[in-house]
Amino acid sequence: MKHRRVLRAAVTVAVTGALAAGMTMALTTSANAGTTLRASAAEKGRYFGAAVATGKLSTSAYVTVLNREFNSVVAENEMKWDATEPQQGQFRYTGGDRLVSHAQANGMSVRGHALLWYQQQPGWAQNMSGSTLRSAMINHVTQVATHFRGKIHSWDVVNEAFADGGSGGRRDSNLQRTGNDWIEAAFRAARAADPGAKLCYNDYNTDGINAKSTGIYNMVRDFKSRGVPIDCVGFQSHLGTSLASDYQANLQRFADLGVDVQITELDVMTGGNQANIYGAVTRACMNVSRCTGITVWGVRDCDSWRGSDNALLFDCNGNKKAAYTNVLNALNAGPGIPTDPPTDPPTDPPTDPPTDPPTDPPTVGCSASVSLNSWTGGFVASVKVTAGSAGTSGWNVGFTLPSGASVTNTWSATASGSTGTVRFANVNYNGRLGAGQVTEFGFQGTGSASGVTPTCTAS
Ligand code: 9MR
C-alpha cells in the first residue's frame, strides 16, 4: 500500500538508552497476575503478543519490555518468503529459529507470519507464473511449515489476498493468477505439514462489516462447508483515529462460522483517541469467546513501521502509555474464554444418592479442557490447563483414548504412552502456574478421539 511506504520511510530508529544495565527480567509468575499484559491475558485464557524484529533481541531495553509484557511473538519479517527461501530450494531459518528459541525460553507461543503473500516474495518467485509458480509456492508452504512443525501456535497461511475497495473479490497477484483455488491448496499443504498449528487467513481493512471483510467471510464459510482446513481469521487492525462501530460484531460473525479470531497486527494512530481505541479493541476481543489473542505490531513507538504515528503501547524509552493502561484494564475486566461444556450431561440422575458424602472434598488443583480438530483418520487436540486456587508447581493431564486412536506428536508437554490411557506432564517452562492461570499444550493423533475428556492433577 502506498501510504505504508510513506510511513515506513518516516520511521526513525533513534532509541534512547534510558533503560540500561541492572534490569530484572520478569518472566511468567503469578506475582504479576493482573499487572502485565501477558499475565492478564493468560488469566483469561488468551495470549498477548508483539511483532519482533529479531535484530533487536540483543537490545536490553527492548527485551526487558518484551519479556515482561508479552507471552506471544511473531516475526515482523523473518518468516516471510523472501527471508526463508531467498533462492529457490535454499531455505534459511536463522531469524525464525532465533525467535522460536527466544519464545521457548521465555514461555511465549509463536505466531507464524506469513507463508504466502503477494509482497515480500523473493525475486525468483516474482518472476514465475502458472503451474511452475503453483508448485514452487506449495513447496514453500510445505517446507517452511515442516521446519517449524510443532513450534507454531497459529500460521498466517495466506496474507492479504483480498482486494481493497468495494468489490469484495480477490486481489490480483501472481499467486491469484495460478488459479482461484491457490488459497485452499495452501491451507491443505500447511495442514499436512504441521497438523498442530492453527491455520489462519490474515488481512487488513477488515475492521468492520464491509465489502472486503464480507468477501473473506464468504470464503471462510465456503471453506468450512467443503472441509478445507481453516481454523482462524486474523484481523490486522492497523487503525486510524476511529474504530468501526461494528468491529466486535464483525469478529463475532466470523466466530459464528466456527473459526477462532485473532487481532494480529494492532497499532493505532496517535492522538486523542488512541488510548480509547486500544481499549475498545481489547474489549471487543474479550467479548468474543473465540477471540483467542491480540498481537500488537511492535513493542515501542520507535520500533513501529508507522514511525511518527507513535502507534504502539510503549514510548521510545519503554514507558507505558495511556493506551497500555486501557488495554490492561480491559484484559482484567473482560470475561475468560468459557471452558467447553460437557457434551453428554447425564440424563438420569442416580436414584440413591450416597447418604454420607465425603466431608473433605478433594482440593481441585487444576482443571483441563480439550478442543478437538478432527478429520477422517486423524485429529489435533488443543488442551487448556487452568490452575486452581492454590496454583501449581507441576501438572499432569490424563486421557483415555478410544481404541484405534494413537498419539503421534505432542507439543508443550511430555507424553507417556500413546494408546489407551495417555498422560501428559508439563514441560519445564509451563508447570508453575499462579492461581487461575492458564497454559496450553497439544497433541496430534491418528484415529478418532471424539468424546475424550481430560483429568488434571496438580503438584
Ligand atoms: O512491519 C513490516 C515492515 O518492517 C516491512 O518493511 C513491511 C514490508 O512490506 O511489512 C511490514 O509488516 C506488514 C505485515 O507483514 C503484513 N501486514 C502489514 C504490515 C505493515 O506493513
Side-chain angles (χ1 to χ4, degrees):
M1 288 204 319
K2 205 172 195 171
H3 80 274
R4 289 188 176 162
R5 277 199 293 276
V6 174
L7 290 164
R8 180 71 192 156
V11 170
T12 56
V13 285
V15 178
T16 51
L19 302 175
M23 292 168 303
T24 52
M25 285 209 280
L27 305 182
T28 320
T29 64
S30 54
N32 283 337
T35 63
T36 64
L37 302 175
R38 61 181 289 166
S40 297
E43 279 186 0
K44 302 296 161 68
R46 295 176 166 92
Y47 66 81
F48 204 97
V52 168
T54 53
K56 293 184 179 168
L57 288 176
S58 46
T59 303
S60 64
Y62 177 89
V63 174
T64 299
V65 178
L66 179 69
N67 289 357
R68 187 188 67 221
E69 298 289 344
F70 298 96
N71 60 357
S72 167
V73 285
V74 58
E76 190 171 359
N77 289 297
E78 290 84 342
M79 291 195 193
K80 292 172 181 175
W81 197 351
D82 59 349
T84 50
E85 196 181 1
Q87 303 298 327
Q88 189 173 15
Q90 290 177 19
F91 292 88
R92 190 177 60 187
Y93 297 116
T94 332
D97 285 347
R98 181 159 180 224
L99 186 63
V100 169
S101 305
H102 185 89
Q104 290 177 339
N106 291 284
M108 300 163 167
S109 59
V110 182
R111 293 196 84 259
H113 173 83
L115 291 170
L116 292 177
W117 184 22
Y118 76 97
Q119 286 192 17
Q120 283 181 279
Q121 295 181 9
W124 62 265
Q126 291 174 31
N127 294 329
M128 277 184 178
S129 62
S131 57
T132 325
L133 175 59
R134 174 62 71 92
S135 49
M137 67 203 231
I138 296 302
N139 183 54
H140 179 76
V141 170
T142 300
Q143 297 295 327
V144 176
T146 300
H147 174 82
F148 291 109
R149 180 183 178 125
K151 297 173 179 165
I152 302 294
H153 175 285
S154 303
W155 260 117
D156 291 335
V157 178
V158 169
N159 191 42
E160 301 178 8
F162 276 72
D164 289 310
S167 76
R170 299 283 183 87
R171 173 192 297 283
D172 178 51
S173 71
N174 59 342
L175 306 172
Q176 180 64 30
R177 288 192 292 271
T178 69
N180 205 50
D181 64 342
W182 72 278
I183 298 183
E184 60 192 88
F187 275 83
R188 291 186 202 281
R191 175 72 91 226
D194 185 356
K198 300 236 183 229
L199 305 182
C200 303
Y201 175 81
N202 190 50
D203 216 326
Y204 66 89
N205 283 354
T206 52
D207 314 306
I209 297 176
N210 57 37
K212 188 172 177 181
S213 64
T214 299
I216 296 165
Y217 176 87
N218 290 336
M219 177 186 76
V220 174
R221 190 173 51 185
D222 170 53
F223 280 12
K224 294 298 282 185
S225 75
R226 290 189 295 114
V228 177
I230 184 167
D231 307 307
C232 37
V233 175
F235 298 82
Q236 294 186 9
S237 309
H238 294 293
L239 299 174
T241 52
S242 64
L243 183 67
S245 58
D246 52 5
Y247 185 87
Q248 180 181 319
N250 189 45
L251 299 180
Q252 187 65 57
R253 73 171 174 155
F254 278 86
D256 291 343
L257 289 176
V259 287
D260 289 344
V261 295
Q262 304 174 355
I263 313 303
T264 49
E265 303 183 15
L266 179 60
D267 49 23
V268 183
M269 181 84 79
T270 197
N273 257 340
Q274 184 184 56
N276 291 338
I277 292 174
Y278 264 109
V281 168
T282 309
R283 277 192 299 280
C285 177
M286 301 303 281
N287 287 338
V288 174
S289 62
R290 291 199 76 143
C291 183
T292 57
I294 299 175
T295 300
V296 288
W297 203 244
V299 177
R300 303 160 303 179
D301 283 341
C302 298
D303 303 317
S304 170
W305 71 292
R306 293 179 64 162
S308 56
D309 276 357
N310 292 328
L312 294 173
L313 299 175
F314 297 88
D315 70 18
C316 296
N317 291 325
N319 297 312
K320 299 168 183 174
K321 294 164 59 181
Y324 172 95
T325 308
N326 281 6
V327 170
L328 187 69
N329 290 345
L331 292 172
N332 286 333
I337 292 181
T339 48
D340 295 341
T343 44
D344 287 320
T347 44
D348 291 311
T351 44
D352 290 311
T355 44
D356 288 312
T359 45
D360 288 315
T363 346
V364 179
C366 57
S367 60
S369 63
V370 63
S371 113
L372 283 177
N373 197 341
S374 303
W375 60 92
T376 310
F379 63 90
V380 165
S382 304
V383 187
K384 275 200 173 74
V385 177
T386 306
S389 54
T392 65
S393 51
W395 46 259
N396 196 294
V397 175
F399 285 89
T400 302
L401 296 179
S403 72
S406 175
V407 175
T408 54
N409 185 26
T410 302
W411 50 99
S412 304
T414 305
S416 343
S418 59
T419 56
T421 299
V422 184
R423 303 209 64 89
F424 299 87
N426 64 276
V427 287
N428 59 5
Y429 67 84
N430 63 11
R432 189 166 293 279
L433 300 175
Q437 212 178 342
V438 177
T439 191
E440 284 188 50
F441 72 93
F443 58 97
Q444 177 197 343
T446 52
S448 164
S450 98
V452 289
T453 49
T455 52
C456 191
T457 46
S459 55

